[in-house]
Amino acid sequence: MTPNLTSERWKPSVTVAAIIERDGRYLLIEEHTPEGLRLNNPAGHLDPGESPAEGVVRETLEETTHRFMPTALVGIYLSRFQRTGREGAPDEDVTYLRFAFCGELGKAVPGLSLDTGIVRTLWLTPEEIRASASRHRSPLVLRCVEDHLAGQRYPLALIQTDPSVALGVRPG
């Protein structure tokens, strides 16, 4: 099929995720979504002016109240999400480009609360994660855990962020 040259350029939504394992359990978050309560890795959208590693540190802090130090890239994933529009809203068709990192979870930061929509954090075994697949926000939740279990790791230097990314970004 020939692409329509007059249409807008396709742009995936870039997200980052933390794959955090401790004593054989993985840290997940439970969050409100339009589909109800769902499980996810600590994850979210990359903000303007930040590198993927900076984004995963920020998202993990926002969703768990814990500091996170990425040590390796688990993988880069492309997935598509489609949802029928509700009550006159347009249908959604979003492609996500996810950078998943593993690393060390630090201590909770006193005085912080979980981000809006996050109900709680929980530590689940791989078996519990597999058994709860129908409650996952995305198929990438389990895929990232499985890749981590398989020992998939890439150096952080694989992802380079040019200093120009931060130029012109105003502190929020």
Side-chain angles (χ1 to χ4, degrees):
M1 180 174 159
T2 305
N4 180 351
L5 299 177
T6 61
S7 66
E8 188 175 315
R9 183 176 298 271
W10 171 77
K11 297 176 185 173
S13 292
V14 179
T15 62
V16 292
I19 313 306
I20 302 166
E21 182 270 335
R22 183 181 286 163
D23 299 325
R25 293 179 175 272
Y26 286 85
L27 179 62
L28 296 184
I29 55 118
E30 187 174 48
E31 62 185 331
H32 289 288
T33 74
E35 289 74 37
L37 281 178
R38 293 289 186 250
L39 299 172
N40 200 1
N41 316 101
H45 291 270
L46 188 65
D47 281 352
E50 66 185 1
S51 70
E54 291 166 340
V56 77
V57 167
R58 176 187 50 76
E59 283 291 346
T60 304
L61 182 63
E62 290 174 358
E63 295 193 353
T64 71
T65 72
H66 287 258
R67 298 201 186 279
F68 176 69
M69 174 60 67
T71 57
L73 180 71
V74 174
I76 302 170
Y77 305 85
L78 199 60
S79 68
R80 186 175 179 189
F81 175 77
Q82 295 176 299
R83 176 191 296 139
T84 303
R86 298 176 186 195
E87 300 175 17
D91 292 350
E92 291 181 67
D93 187 2
V94 182
T95 299
Y96 292 99
L97 178 63
R98 175 187 263 205
F99 292 83
F101 297 87
C102 61
E104 300 298 323
L105 187 68
K107 296 184 182 215
V109 176
L112 287 185
S113 57
L114 299 174
D115 207 5
T116 303
I118 307 298
V119 175
R120 64 182 173 147
T121 61
L122 52 160
W123 291 92
L124 299 177
T125 65
E127 294 77 23
E128 291 169 326
I129 294 170
R130 290 180 192 114
S132 65
S134 65
R135 294 191 57 223
H136 294 178
R137 179 120 192 218
S138 145
L140 294 182
V141 173
L142 179 57
R143 175 64 191 266
C144 291
V145 169
E146 295 288 6
D147 287 349
H148 184 268
L149 282 165
Q152 188 166 294
R153 311 282 191 283
Y154 301 97
L156 292 176
L158 184 67
I159 305 171
Q160 294 295 314
T161 302
D162 188 81
S164 63
V165 169
L167 294 178
V169 176
R170 296 182 190 144

